[in-house]
Amino acid sequence: MAAMCRSIAELDGEVAECRACPRLVAWRERVAQDKRAAFRDETYWGRAVPGFGPDNARLLLVGLAPAAHGGNRTGRMFTGDRSGDVLFAALHAVGLANQPTATSRDDGLRLFGVRVTAPVHCAPPDNKPTPQERDRCRHWLTTELSLLDSTLRAVVVLGGFGWQALFPVLAEAGWAVGRPRPKFGHGAHVELAANNPDGTPLHVFGCYHVSQQNTFTGRLTPPMIEAVLHEAATTAGLPVRAPARE
């Protein structure tokens, strides 16, 4: 169980073995058998996809990630698809990754002070998990936040689904989430006080999701995501490079 995980490494191992949502398990395993032609010679991951990044991260990125032929194929968040191409290029541009590309779990990619995770760890049909699947997966994110509690200072949320999923978890994890809950928007920034007098505040930033629907239409451009990442990383106390300008 997630509550028994004593480290990020243990959590990642437990996530990968999760079979709690029958619809998602059936879908991810079918996709791993009925492969896309371009990847027919590859062995698909076909399981729940754990988070990626150091266990002492100061910045957490949260957004829907385990795409059928991205994370569900490669076994790593935002790896092997167009969304990841945009995200990791932006992380590299502001100095938070050692390289701008993510193609496989053994491609040498490293993140600096940043961890990437998701509110739902399995690839859903049509990229649309149900509210019940989101809620069933929530305990993993709650545990992840608790394990990062001593170092975490900021979160960037990719997309409205992640924003809605995150705030109940933040409340459970010990930050003061008022009513009404903050509204999602690109560039949104909310500072949450810790309920514990000895706790530290948490800064939450909103960013449009790095989906092809957003990046191909120009709704989200590289300078836009770089600007959010730069502000969030600076707030979290991480060294960064100046973002590009549109």
Side-chain angles (χ1 to χ4, degrees):
M1 293 298 293
M4 298 172 61
C5 296
R6 293 162 294 181
S7 68
I8 289 291
E10 187 176 347
L11 172 68
D12 290 346
E14 291 287 339
V15 167
E17 300 303 319
C18 185
R19 301 182 64 84
C21 299
R23 186 182 80 112
L24 298 188
V25 170
W27 171 254
R28 75 194 193 198
E29 293 181 353
R30 187 166 81 227
V31 168
Q33 292 296 319
D34 302 335
K35 305 173 185 179
R36 184 172 287 173
F39 309 123
R40 63 180 176 273
D41 295 329
E42 295 187 22
T43 299
Y44 274 52
W45 176 258
R47 294 186 277 165
V49 182
F52 169 63
D55 60 5
N56 60 349
R58 298 181 67 87
L59 175 62
L60 184 67
L61 272 58
V62 179
L64 282 178
H69 303 280
N72 192 59
R73 173 174 62 89
T74 64
R76 194 172 69 192
M77 294 278 174
F78 287 110
T79 297
D81 60 19
R82 295 292 182 87
S83 295
D85 292 344
V86 174
L87 178 62
F88 290 113
L91 286 165
H92 179 260
V94 298
L96 297 174
N98 70 319
Q99 62 189 44
T101 57
T103 57
S104 68
R105 296 176 71 224
D106 58 358
D107 60 9
L109 177 65
R110 290 185 294 119
L111 302 182
F112 306 130
V114 181
R115 183 169 169 84
V116 180
T117 193
V120 177
H121 286 269
C122 292
D126 300 319
N127 289 323
K128 294 179 180 178
T130 67
Q132 294 78 17
E133 290 161 348
R134 175 201 64 198
D135 294 345
R136 197 175 296 127
C137 204
R138 187 163 74 186
H139 67 107
W140 297 121
L141 186 54
T142 301
T143 300
E144 197 161 8
L145 284 165
S146 69
L147 291 169
L148 294 171
D149 178 68
S150 63
T151 60
L152 190 64
R153 297 295 178 268
V155 180
V156 171
V157 186
L158 302 172
F161 185 95
W163 187 270
Q164 291 181 347
L166 178 66
F167 276 92
V169 177
L170 293 177
E172 292 174 1
W175 283 282
V177 178
R179 296 283 188 176
R181 287 178 182 154
K183 291 184 178 180
F184 173 75
H186 184 83
H189 177 195
V190 180
E191 181 178 356
L192 303 178
N195 289 321
N196 184 340
D198 297 326
T200 56
L202 185 70
H203 294 262
V204 182
F205 297 83
C207 179
Y208 292 146
H209 196 278
V210 287
S211 66
Q212 293 184 48
Q213 182 179 356
N214 288 333
T215 58
F216 281 16
T217 61
R219 187 173 189 235
L220 179 66
T221 64
M224 287 172 66
I225 186 172
E226 288 168 23
V228 173
L229 291 173
H230 185 275
E231 183 182 2
T234 301
T235 301
L238 293 171
V240 287
R241 291 193 288 262
R245 304 296 180 191
E246 288 187 289

